[in-house]
Amino acid sequence: MLAKGLTCLLTAMLANGLALDYSPNPVDIDVAQLEGRGHGCALGGVVNGQCGRYFRGAGCSDQIEAIGPGKCSKQCYSSKDEIASIKATGDGTYGVNCHMYSDDNCQSQIGETGNTIFGGGKCYTPGNSAKGHSMLCYYKC
């Protein structure tokens, strides 16, 4: 009797356009992938995933911007914001290395990430709360 009552109720709901939707909310894969790229860099560890990022916070937090390092270009980038940390991410085949400088023209080096090829990359935060004002990254050298 209960089953017959539920069947009638569902039939009436469907007839009135009140269908029940138990499907999960779809995820827009294109949007999720673009958000994962972050400021012009592809996903780390994959083809064209080479990237250099710089941050306001220690431990690579509060990203300022990201750059796609050129092949051995060693292009210097200065920031109006103080740079507290930097991160290098390779493409899974070739490595990226980023350097932080205390001046605004990449002359007085504070430190570097070291070469990184795979995974989430390497973060560098200088000791003594030192801040940078410029950085450079290079790829496939």
Side-chain angles (χ1 to χ4, degrees), residues 33-101:
Q33 287 177 344
L34 289 173
E35 287 174 349
R37 292 177 183 222
H39 301 6
C41 291
L43 299 173
V46 299
V47 174
N48 296 322
Q50 66 274 11
C51 189
R53 292 179 168 85
Y54 49 109
F55 303 83
R56 287 181 192 88
C60 294
S61 63
D62 192 15
Q63 182 172 310
I64 299 169
E65 192 56 72
I67 58 161
K71 181 181 173 186
C72 283
S73 69
K74 297 188 180 181
Q75 173 67 48
C76 180
Y77 293 89
S78 62
S79 174
K80 62 181 176 141
D81 295 304
E82 288 186 324
I83 302 169
S85 56
I86 56 176
K87 185 174 189 176
T89 307
D91 72 351
T93 304
Y94 300 101
V96 172
N97 193 354
C98 294
H99 298 255
M100 182 190 298
Y101 298 86

Side-chain angles (χ1 to χ4, degrees), residues 112-128:
E112 65 181 279
T113 60
N115 191 50
T116 182
I117 299 171
F118 303 105
K122 289 183 182 176
C123 178
Y124 169 75
T125 301
N128 301 326

Side-chain angles (χ1 to χ4, degrees), residues 11 17 21 28 33 51 56 72 100 107 110 113 115 119 126 138-139 141:
T11 303
D21 183 10
D28 186 341
Q33 287 177 344
C51 189
R56 287 181 192 88
C72 283
M100 182 190 298
Q107 298 298 307
I110 297 172
T113 60
N115 191 50
Y138 49 92
Y139 163 73
C141 288

